[in-house]
Amino acid sequence: MTLMPFVLLLVGAMLAYAVNHRAAASLRSGGARLHSSPQYHGLFAALTVLTSALVLALVWLALDGAIIDHLIRRSLPPLGEDATAPGAVDLVMAEIHSLARGQTFGTPEPWKQQAADRLTAFRTGSAVALLASLTCLSIGVLTLRRRRFTPELRARQGSERLTHAVMFACCAVALLTTAGIVAALLFETAKFLQKVPLSEFLFGLNWEPQIPIREDQVAASGAFGWTPVLVGTLVVTVVALVVAVPTGLFAAIYLNEFAHRRFKRVAKPVLEVLAGVPTVVYGFFAILVISPAMRRLGDALGLDVAPNSALAAGLVMGVMLIPFITSFADDALSAVPQALRDGALALGSTRAETMLKVLFPAALPGIVGGVLLAVSRAIGETMIVVMAAGLIARLTLNPLDSVTTVTVQIVTLLIGDTAFDNPKTLAAFALGTMLFLVTLMINILAIRVVQKYRETYD
């Protein structure tokens, strides 16, 4: 039922286009002089129907769940003493939603099953009402647009205004989403810093966020120094980049300048397919192949290699990043004007000198973009690190030891029944804020490099 409103939107838009396009074409064939061509009349009508119905559908879907939940909450019987417990009503609502989805655990109480049936009925009625409302609105807007159709109608300007409004709305959604993410991170981080001093978080050398949840529980007092987590992230990222950047760049240079066209037509799609392999598959490869091989090699060389090590995770992550760097670098080298190649060769440069002294510096902005994408992917990777590097935070620069990363700790901190205002849970948002700031600094540095060399080679 969720897709039906959007299918109805498309049908209404196509119908509006066909009706007004046919009307405009009939007038022009009859000798009337139109301000805009028939396709603009059809496009204007289609955009009018589409935007109005889309706004109604989005507002309806945004408010639908909250209104239905409010009605269900009001219809619930008194919960007795349990109603005073924090989150008691939310737990009951979660169980009702599970029953409505058909997920039954044991024998539910009759009143909960009745509430689930009401929830299903409300959702069905809301979906039917939405379809009816969209149908009426589309017919009404189409009728209004058809009645206002005249040869003097500035349909082209109207369609351009609507297109501009849609693009502005999409841009605003992206900006507001980014602002909302930043605001949420900062708000929760501020709550975390009220419980944990900023100096301890930034400069503490221990990361042990296990604290008592109940008064009678025996647990550590908790340590929230993020330095070991940051160091582990940097160690894994550096290992991955040491593997991925040279290999990816050399592969791109070979494919772009030296490889035969037949080989390139086969090799580049294979690399792009490699980029689509799920990270959990790389994780299995790391724990089943790379980690045992490294332990055997370490035993042969007399080195102490941990079962889960930063080196194993970094090596596999580097293999995962090679297609990104190769694809971006190859596209950047292909975008360099042919005149630069011809000029360098005409002056007596070899193909290697042309690549190193002319093409590579000219394509540096695009190459930096590919490396930046690889860095962001490496910093944000979770699954490979969980499976190959471990979960324990250690302050070490030795890649043979077990380490953890920021993203892994964020996932582990948000798993479980810990209260949302607990320092352990709030620490995940503090780590997210720091990860955001580190990524922002990397982006700023990359932009500086791109601007510098772009000014030279434009």
Side-chain angles (χ1 to χ4, degrees):
M1 293 294 289
T2 305
L3 295 177
M4 287 300 298
F6 298 100
V7 173
L8 185 60
L9 290 180
L10 295 178
V11 173
M14 290 187 293
L15 181 62
Y17 180 89
V19 170
N20 282 266
H21 181 275
R22 178 176 297 181
S26 299
L27 284 178
R28 188 169 66 174
S29 61
R33 184 175 181 180
L34 301 179
H35 177 274
S36 303
S37 58
Q39 58 264 28
Y40 281 113
H41 284 278
L43 180 62
F44 185 36
L47 289 176
T48 305
V49 172
L50 187 62
T51 52
S52 57
L54 183 61
V55 170
L56 174 62
L58 293 178
V59 172
W60 190 297
L61 294 176
L63 301 177
D64 177 65
I67 294 175
I68 292 177
D69 284 349
H70 177 69
L71 294 176
I72 297 297
R73 287 172 185 267
R74 291 185 59 182
S75 65
L76 293 178
L79 300 180
E81 296 180 357
D82 294 338
T84 60
V89 179
D90 293 334
L91 291 176
V92 172
M93 289 298 299
E95 185 176 354
I96 292 173
H97 279 275
S98 298
L99 292 174
R101 292 192 297 267
Q103 299 174 353
T104 304
F105 302 96
T107 303
E109 300 177 59
W111 63 272
K112 291 182 180 179
Q113 187 61 53
Q114 293 174 2
D117 295 338
R118 285 196 300 271
L119 177 61
T120 304
F122 282 148
R123 287 176 174 174
T124 304
S126 175
V128 174
L130 175 59
L131 292 177
S133 301
L134 289 177
T135 302
C136 295
L137 179 63
S138 300
I139 294 174
V141 173
L142 177 58
T143 303
L144 179 63
R145 182 54 56 201
R146 182 66 183 85
R147 288 182 177 179
R148 292 186 176 182
F149 173 76
T150 59
E152 294 80 15
L153 178 65
R154 298 177 177 268
R156 181 173 62 85
Q157 287 82 352
S159 60
E160 290 176 352
R161 287 194 301 269
L162 285 176
T163 304
H164 182 272
V166 170
M167 291 189 295
F168 176 79
C170 295
C171 181
V173 168
L175 294 177
L176 291 176
T177 301
T178 304
I181 293 173
V182 174
L185 286 176
L186 294 179
F187 178 75
E188 300 296 336
T189 302
K191 292 170 62 177
F192 169 77
L193 295 178
Q194 292 175 358
K195 301 176 182 295
V196 178
L198 178 61
S199 58
E200 178 185 347
F201 176 66
L202 292 180
F203 306 109
L205 301 181
N206 294 318
W207 179 261
E208 296 178 359
Q210 303 301 326
I211 62 176
I213 301 176
R214 303 182 305 271
E215 294 182 358
D216 59 343
Q217 184 178 5
V218 178
S221 59
F224 295 93
W226 88 302
T227 303
V229 183
L230 173 64
V231 172
T233 303
L234 295 179
V235 170
V236 175
T237 302
V238 168
V239 173
L241 294 179
V242 167
V243 174
V245 173
T247 307
L249 291 182
F250 283 132
I253 291 173
Y254 176 75
L255 290 176
N256 185 268
E257 192 67 20
F258 301 100
H260 194 275
R261 291 184 179 180
R262 293 181 179 177
F263 179 79
K264 183 177 180 179
R265 283 198 299 265
V266 175
K268 191 168 183 180
V270 171
L271 286 174
E272 293 174 352
V273 169
L274 185 63
V277 175
T279 56
V280 67
V281 177
Y282 286 106
F284 280 125
F285 178 71
I287 61 175
L288 295 178
V289 179
I290 301 299
S291 293
M294 290 183 56
R295 287 199 300 272
R296 290 193 296 269
L297 180 61
D299 293 338
L301 298 177
L303 299 176
D304 186 13
V305 181
N308 295 322
S309 63
L311 184 59
L315 289 175
V316 177
M317 193 183 301
V319 174
M320 180 192 70
L321 297 178
I322 289 175
F324 293 94
I325 297 178
T326 301
S327 180
F328 271 82
D330 180 63
D331 293 340
L333 292 171
S334 299
V336 176
Q338 184 65 31
L340 291 179
R341 289 184 174 86
D342 297 339
L345 294 174
L347 291 174
S349 300
T350 63
R351 296 176 66 183
E353 291 173 339
T354 301
M355 173 58 66
L356 294 178
K357 296 182 179 180
V358 178
L359 302 183
F360 190 82
L364 189 61
I367 295 173
V368 170
V371 174
L372 173 62
L373 177 62
V375 172
S376 301
R377 182 73 184 271
I379 293 176
E381 179 55 41
T382 303
M383 188 58 65
I384 295 177
V385 182
V386 169
M387 302 176 70
L391 299 174
I392 301 176
R394 288 192 177 93
L395 184 57
T396 176
L397 295 176
N398 185 2
L400 301 180
D401 289 337
S402 175
V403 297
T404 189
T405 62
V406 174
T407 54
V408 172
Q409 288 301 309
I410 291 175
V411 172
T412 56
L413 290 173
L414 294 178
I415 294 177
D417 299 330
T418 309
F420 209 75
D421 58 350
N422 191 286
K424 178 182 176 181
T425 305
L426 295 175
F429 295 94
L431 290 177
T433 301
M434 300 307 297
L435 185 63
F436 174 80
L437 293 177
V438 170
T439 307
L440 180 62
M441 289 188 291
I442 294 174
N443 287 337
I444 293 174
L445 177 63
I447 290 173
R448 296 282 185 178
V449 174
V450 169
Q451 289 177 345
K452 176 181 178 181
Y453 285 93
R454 182 169 293 171
E455 293 174 356
T456 301
Y457 291 100
D458 269 349

